[in-house]
Amino acid sequence: MDIQAGQYHDESVGSVVTLNLAEGEKLHVLHPQQIIAYRGPSSGRSDKLMNIKGMYRKHKLIQADFTGACRLIAALPPGFSLKMIELEGGDELLYDFRNLFWYSSGIHMRTKLLSMKNMLFSRDVIKMKFDGVGQIGLLTQGLVCQEQLHPTEPIYVDASSVIAYPENAKLELTVYGNNLASQHMNYHFKMTGQGTVLFHAGEHHRRLQQDMNDDGVIKRFLREVIPFGGVFIK
């Protein structure tokens, strides 16, 4: 399968991605409303209602199955990007289903019930795990980063930015730094283990833009030095 970024890419208007499927290739798209153009036989697309083992409390999802040869053009909202992940079997990462844009044939999804501790940390009940060989496409806010975990040396990742992490990773919800630092940051996952963690940077782009556009130096100073100043000082 060939994936190309479109000619239009702008922070304010979004971007497009082109997916080219060879003869016989199959692609399962979970956000079919983002497909804005299609080249191929009409019979090459088949939509269906799908229930992924009661996920999201048995809410139904529309899945569009495409069979090549065909060409798809998908629109991405402003600030979003598409990241393709190659899976070769034995993948240990747990993904947030909301980030899944598509997956190729040969990939099978399984739901994984999180431990009670991880449910409280992530405020989610289940994650997705994939088996098989193929590709998946992740729809993320901003660019995707990937960092290697260490068995004993932790990495701190903003909890709202995490896309996927190894099933056997050790998680702890915390903040870090001195008192002033911990008062002015989101909760982070303190992570140790083996494998890699994926996270995106979308929300932090907007925060920086707000800071740069705010010309009130005194207000900005007070927000930083007063505990919870960002809540009380607008």
Side-chain angles (χ1 to χ4, degrees):
M1 180 170 54
D2 178 38
I3 300 179
Q4 300 172 350
Q7 58 180 327
Y8 303 106
H9 185 91
D10 187 275
E11 186 68 24
S12 61
V13 300
S15 60
V16 297
V17 173
T18 301
L19 308 174
N20 294 302
L21 303 185
E23 187 70 35
E25 282 188 322
K26 293 185 178 181
L27 194 69
H28 310 288
V29 180
L30 301 185
H31 293 279
Q33 70 276 9
Q34 299 306 126
I35 304 298
I36 58 173
Y38 167 78
R39 182 186 294 273
S42 178
S43 59
R45 172 172 174 166
S46 176
D47 287 18
K48 63 182 180 182
L49 287 172
M50 123 176 150
N51 185 349
I52 307 177
K53 298 180 180 178
M55 191 166 49
Y56 289 108
R57 297 187 179 181
K58 300 183 179 179
H59 287 179
K60 295 289 186 178
L61 301 173
I62 294 291
Q63 173 177 307
D65 296 337
F66 291 89
T67 302
C70 64
R71 177 183 177 92
L72 315 176
I73 299 178
L76 304 185
F80 281 74
S81 60
L82 180 65
K83 172 71 171 179
M84 189 179 77
I85 305 292
E86 289 278 353
L87 301 180
E88 300 179 353
D91 184 59
E92 294 296 326
L93 290 180
L94 299 180
Y95 294 85
D96 191 328
F97 183 78
R98 290 168 294 183
N99 291 110
L100 184 62
F101 190 10
W102 53 260
Y103 62 100
S104 65
S105 59
I107 297 294
H108 306 284
M109 294 187 294
R110 290 190 291 135
T111 57
K112 297 291 293 186
L113 185 66
L114 300 181
S115 66
M116 185 60 66
K117 177 181 177 181
N118 285 356
M119 285 183 194
L120 295 175
F121 286 172
S122 64
R123 288 182 287 185
D124 205 352
V125 177
I126 60 173
K127 294 289 185 183
M128 298 305 301
K129 188 174 181 181
F130 298 98
D131 293 324
V133 177
Q135 305 88 27
I136 62 173
L138 299 178
L139 191 61
T140 65
Q141 297 186 58
L143 298 177
V144 175
C145 307
Q146 182 172 332
E147 284 290 327
Q148 190 75 27
L149 297 182
H150 189 276
T152 57
E153 298 177 4
I155 180 173
Y156 297 85
V157 183
D158 190 310
S160 64
S161 300
V162 173
I163 300 171
Y165 56 85
E167 182 176 7
N168 296 317
K170 182 179 179 181
L171 307 181
E172 182 180 340
L173 198 62
T174 185
V175 291
Y176 64 94
N178 61 7
N179 289 336
L180 184 59
S182 63
Q183 291 170 359
H184 295 276
M185 67 170 64
N186 291 337
Y187 278 108
H188 284 58
F189 282 134
K190 178 181 178 182
M191 309 181 75
T192 55
Q194 296 182 339
T196 58
V197 55
L198 302 178
F199 51 97
H200 64 83
E203 293 186 7
H204 298 274
H205 293 331
R206 291 192 292 272
R207 292 174 196 165
L208 180 58
Q209 288 175 346
Q210 291 174 355
D211 289 343
M212 297 299 290
N213 293 333
D214 186 358
D215 57 357
V217 177
I218 300 300
K219 283 186 177 181
R220 236 182 340 184
F221 174 77
L222 293 175
R223 288 194 194 104
E224 295 297 328
V225 300
I226 298 177
F228 307 105
V231 177
F232 300 109
I233 301 176
K234 303 297 182 183

